[in-house]
Amino acid sequence: MPELNLHDLLSQHRQLMVGGKGGVGKTTVASALALAAANLGRRTLLVSTDPAHSLADAFDREIGNREQALAVNLTALEVDPEQEVDEHLQRVRAQMARFARPDQRSAMEHQLKLSRQAPGAQEAALLERLTTIMEEARERFDLVVFDTAPTGHTLRLLSLPEVMAAWSEGLLRQHRRSEQLGKVLSHLTPGRDLDSPVNTPEEHQLAGLDDRTRDLAAPLIERQRRFQKARRLLSDPEHSAFLFVLTPERLPILETERAVHSLKEAGIPVAGAVVNRVLPDGAEGAFFQARREREQRMLQELAQRLDPLPRRQVPLFVDDIQGRSALEAFASRLLSTS
């Protein structure tokens, strides 16, 4: 199999997203890689976007929604999706309230309450926060490592820039009461000025709008610009890479195969995969022998399905990987060339 060079990955990129099926050890891998990058002298920010945050468990210390220094050159942050949704909707509420008539306020509040539970609400709020982190981190950090949510959630998050124009349009339509708001929609609708949400909107998007309507349209267009900038960074193989973590079992293999294809179709570079918890050669007994034989069949299937994606195998450790010393030992095994 093509060998994954994690040392080069940590040294040459500015952004690394680590993802995979829930329970395969992606938080452990992300934490170990971030610690290894910090030990290489790179100023590293480790960010968890997984609602079931495990960074604190991995490092055996509290982290939370504010940056915490964990080691020399290593800072960590656990983004709270619920808090991000609340703050995102509060910003939307403040923007819309400036333009809604008194008799529209009740309907607006009702719509925002529904929006909180709407499909994509968490992803929209998370992506807005992540774009901010990406922009600010460029000035303060050499590398940002994202410990992402399970695969399906992450794929929805990464595809969000393409649907953001339609989302903005739907929100505005709930309150469209004038020709001027119609002008805003025409400026936000894909296929007009926004031929593709991945491309940078031009300044002429605001041309022809009066001051009031311009004030309403500008924040929405600015949000789209930021999302598009984040997407361009994620699509740049010199800047960003996606690393999958999986175990040698059928369901993680199949899910990873589908996710790799989805990301490649979306133009997001996939650097490789870490195959975690492979039985060590020294495991003995009939049970382990049968388990190893099955595992070898899964590894052969994995090689067929993920070829030519670079990969690295990591053995199953005797104990849980928890705490800085255990993570450093795990990172040493990850980056080992033997």
Side-chain angles (χ1 to χ4, degrees):
M1 70 175 180
E3 187 71 12
L4 175 62
N5 190 325
L6 290 170
H7 186 280
D8 287 351
L9 193 66
L10 295 179
S11 302
Q12 299 173 4
H13 288 77
R14 297 294 305 275
Q15 200 162 269
L16 177 63
M17 303 194 77
V18 181
K21 186 176 176 61
V24 297
K26 59 184 176 55
T27 295
T28 300
V29 171
S31 300
L33 289 176
L35 191 54
N39 288 337
L40 290 173
R42 304 204 77 192
R43 296 169 300 166
T44 305
L45 176 64
L46 174 60
V47 181
S48 172
T49 66
D50 190 340
H53 294 303
S54 300
L55 284 188
D57 296 330
F59 283 92
D60 197 22
R61 57 166 294 177
E62 185 175 342
I63 296 177
N65 200 26
R66 293 188 177 184
E67 291 184 5
Q68 299 287 334
L70 301 183
V72 176
N73 293 325
L74 180 59
T75 303
L77 169 69
E78 292 177 327
V79 177
D80 183 346
E82 295 295 327
Q83 181 177 334
E84 295 306 319
V85 171
D86 290 339
E87 293 180 359
H88 174 77
L89 292 179
Q90 184 57 39
R91 289 190 292 271
V92 173
R93 178 182 289 106
Q95 292 167 6
M96 298 301 297
R98 298 167 55 196
F99 303 96
R101 298 196 309 265
D103 62 325
Q104 297 172 347
R105 298 290 175 85
S106 177
M108 183 186 76
E109 287 297 327
H110 177 68
Q111 179 63 29
L112 288 173
K113 288 179 181 178
L114 291 177
S115 296
R116 194 185 190 288
Q117 302 302 325
Q122 270 198 6
E123 288 90 340
L126 272 176
L127 187 57
E128 187 161 7
R129 177 68 184 282
L130 294 188
T131 58
T132 302
I133 291 173
M134 290 178 191
E135 290 175 358
E136 295 178 351
R138 291 172 66 86
E139 302 297 325
R140 301 168 47 221
F141 296 97
D142 302 313
L143 173 68
V144 182
V145 178
F146 289 101
D147 171 31
T148 72
T151 310
H153 185 282
T154 298
L155 293 178
R156 291 194 300 273
L157 178 66
L158 296 179
S159 68
L160 195 59
E162 279 80 355
V163 301
M164 208 50 211
W167 183 91
S168 299
E169 179 182 352
L171 181 62
L172 283 170
R173 283 193 186 280
Q174 298 299 321
H175 312 291
R176 188 167 79 172
R177 294 292 186 270
S178 69
E179 183 179 354
Q180 288 300 316
L181 280 178
K183 290 181 181 179
V184 174
L185 294 180
S186 71
H187 281 67
L188 291 173
T189 301
R192 298 191 183 178
D193 286 332
L194 285 176
D195 293 326
S196 168
V198 179
N199 295 328
T200 303
E202 301 297 332
E203 291 300 323
H204 71 269
Q205 284 180 265
L206 296 175
L209 299 179
D210 60 31
D211 291 343
R212 181 175 181 275
T213 312
R214 183 186 294 264
D215 288 344
L216 177 58
L220 296 171
I221 293 174
E222 177 59 27
R223 183 180 296 120
Q224 289 178 11
R225 281 200 183 100
R226 293 173 61 197
F227 286 178
Q228 292 150 10
K229 182 178 180 180
R231 180 57 184 272
R232 287 195 302 275
L233 290 177
L234 288 171
S235 302
D236 180 359
E238 300 298 320
H239 183 278
S240 304
F242 201 104
L243 181 69
F244 280 99
V245 181
L246 71 158
T247 51
E249 299 169 286
R250 186 169 298 277
L251 293 182
I253 292 171
L254 294 176
E255 183 169 310
T256 301
E257 180 187 28
R258 290 192 294 268
V260 168
H261 289 318
S262 296
L263 289 183
K264 287 186 175 179
E265 288 177 359
I268 296 177
V270 179
V274 172
V275 186
N276 197 21
R277 300 173 188 160
V278 178
L279 284 176
D281 293 336
E284 299 178 350
F287 172 82
F288 285 110
Q289 179 62 31
R291 184 73 184 180
R292 184 180 293 105
E293 290 174 358
R294 180 183 182 279
E295 184 177 85
Q296 289 302 312
R297 292 195 300 272
M298 291 296 98
L299 287 172
Q300 291 174 8
E301 180 175 339
L302 185 154
Q304 294 173 356
R305 291 182 178 275
L306 298 186
D307 186 66
L309 191 69
R311 300 179 298 281
R312 174 172 290 279
Q313 293 183 189
V314 185
L316 176 68
F317 279 50
V318 173
D319 204 353
D320 293 336
I321 312 298
Q322 186 176 32
R324 180 174 169 179
S325 60
L327 285 169
E328 287 182 333
F330 186 79
S332 177
R333 187 65 181 84
L334 267 176
L335 272 66
S336 172
T337 57
S338 60

